[in-house]
Amino acid sequence: MSTEEALQEYDQCAKKVFSFRNKKWTTATEKFRATALKEVIQDLVRRRDMGDEMGDLTLEHDSKGQCFVCAMPAKEVAEPWRIRSFTSEYDQFAPGIKIWEAARATAAASFYFKPMPLRVQNRNTEDFIDAAIGCNNPVEYLHREAADRIGGGRRLGCLVSIGTGTRIVKIDRAATGLRNILHLPKFIRELLGTLKNTATDGEEAHRRVLDRVDRYPNAYFRFNVPDVADQVRLHEHLKIHTLKSTAARYLSDPSVAPQIGTVAATLAQNSSEHGLTLGHLGENVS
C-alpha cells in the first residue's frame, strides 16, 4: 500500500477495533475483543488479493520486498520470535502461518487483546503477545535478518528507523514530612509508569545502532515524533488527528525535513558513500 492508503486503512480499522461496542467488560486483562481485530485484518488481506500466507509475499510478489514481524511468547518474555515472509534456517514457526495470524500476534498488546495461538515447529501451539516489552524497536533484529538473508558483506545503502513517538519519563517526589507521605500514591503510579516506559522504550536500541555508525554520514536515519506517545494512547483513535498534526509539524521541522530528502535520494539512486556493509552494523566501527 502507499502511505496514504495505509493511513486510510488504519483509520477504518481503528474505528472498528477500538469502538465502544467492541469493548470487553468481562475481564480485567483485555480491554477489547480480539475477534474484531482478526476480522479487519482478514478483510484487508482479502481485498489486497496477494495471497493469505506470509510465504505468499515472496512467491509471486517479491518486488514488494521481504518482511518479518516480532511476537513474544506469552509465557516467556525474553527473546522475540520472528514471523517471516521468507524461509530461514532459524524458523521457529510451522509452515503456513497466515498473514492475519502474524498481524494478530504482533498486535496483541498486553491489556488490550488476548494472546494469539500460533503453530510452532514441533506442531504444538503456543500463545504469543506483541513484542513491545523488550523489543519495541526491532532495528537490531532487522540487521540480523538482513545479514542472514543476503550476507554480511552486502553493501549497506541506508537504514531507516521509524518510531512510534517518545514519552516524557519523570518521577516527582515531595521532599520530606507529611507531604512526602501524601505524595506516596502518586509516586508509586509514576514509578510503575516509568518501569513500563523503560521496558517498552525503543530509544535504547536506537542509541546502540547510532553509536556504531554515527560517524558515517547518511548510513542511518531515525524519525520519531517527540513526546507524542503520552498524548495519544493505543486505543484513542478519536485523537488520531492530534497524532497526524503533531507528526506533520515534526516532519516539516528544519532539522528533520532535509533528512527525508536525503533518504529519498539515497533510496532512489541506490547509492551510498559511507562504504559500510551489513556486517558493520553488528560491531563498533571505527
Side-chain angles (χ1 to χ4, degrees), residues 117-192:
L118 293 176
R119 301 179 306 280
V120 297
Q121 282 284 18
N122 60 12
R123 302 296 178 179
N124 290 329
T125 299
E126 292 190 26
D127 285 343
F128 288 85
I129 58 176
D130 76 324
I133 297 179
C135 185
N136 214 16
N137 180 356
V139 62
E140 292 173 299
Y141 293 99
L142 172 63
H143 156 247
R144 294 186 200 176
E145 294 292 332
D148 289 339
R149 180 67 173 163
I150 59 180
R154 182 67 66 91
R155 176 182 62 84
L156 173 69
C158 69
L159 177 59
V160 182
S161 174
I162 301 176
T164 56
T166 64
R167 287 183 172 88
I168 298 175
V169 178
K170 64 178 181 178
I171 302 178
D172 293 328
R173 175 182 178 274
T176 57
L178 181 60
R179 289 182 59 195
N180 182 272
I181 297 175
L182 296 175
H183 189 78
L184 181 61
K186 180 182 178 183
F187 175 80
I188 293 175
R189 287 196 304 271
E190 291 182 348
L191 178 60
L192 293 174

Side-chain angles (χ1 to χ4, degrees), residues 150-274:
I150 59 180
R154 182 67 66 91
R155 176 182 62 84
L156 173 69
C158 69
L159 177 59
V160 182
S161 174
I162 301 176
T164 56
T166 64
R167 287 183 172 88
I168 298 175
V169 178
K170 64 178 181 178
I171 302 178
D172 293 328
R173 175 182 178 274
T176 57
L178 181 60
R179 289 182 59 195
N180 182 272
I181 297 175
L182 296 175
H183 189 78
L184 181 61
K186 180 182 178 183
F187 175 80
I188 293 175
R189 287 196 304 271
E190 291 182 348
L191 178 60
L192 293 174
T194 299
L195 293 174
K196 174 187 174 183
N197 290 343
T198 300
T200 59
D201 180 37
E203 293 304 286
E204 181 58 33
H206 156 62
R207 287 188 286 269
R208 286 195 296 267
V209 174
L210 184 63
D211 184 58
R212 295 171 191 152
V213 300
D214 190 32
R215 65 183 66 188
Y216 293 85
N218 302 334
Y220 172 63
F221 298 87
R222 169 75 166 169
F223 300 102
N224 202 14
V225 183
D227 307 332
V228 74
D230 285 325
Q231 300 178 41
V232 183
R233 292 181 292 177
L234 178 63
H235 65 286
E236 296 177 325
H237 68 94
L238 295 178
K239 293 184 179 181
I240 195 67
H241 63 280
T242 300
L243 182 60
K244 290 180 179 179
S245 60
T246 304
R249 288 195 300 271
Y250 167 77
L251 294 174
S252 62
D253 187 278
S255 65
V256 177
Q259 296 183 52
I260 300 174
T262 302
V263 169
T266 301
L267 295 175
Q269 298 168 10
N270 191 24
S271 63
S272 59
E273 298 179 356
H274 46 69

Side-chain angles (χ1 to χ4, degrees), residues 9-10 12-19 22-23 30-47 99-110 112-116 128-130 234:
E9 291 290 354
Y10 181 81
Q12 295 304 312
C13 289
K15 289 177 182 178
K16 297 176 182 178
V17 173
F18 298 118
S19 68
N22 196 48
K23 283 187 69 69
E30 298 106 31
K31 293 182 179 180
F32 297 92
R33 296 182 181 87
T35 302
L37 177 60
K38 168 186 172 181
E39 290 174 348
V40 297
I41 299 172
Q42 287 178 323
D43 178 63
L44 175 57
V45 172
R46 182 169 52 252
R47 286 187 285 110
I99 296 173
W100 78 261
E101 292 177 312
R104 165 73 175 81
T106 198
S110 301
Y112 283 91
F113 305 105
K114 65 181 181 181
M116 175 66 191
F128 288 85
I129 58 176
D130 76 324
L234 178 63

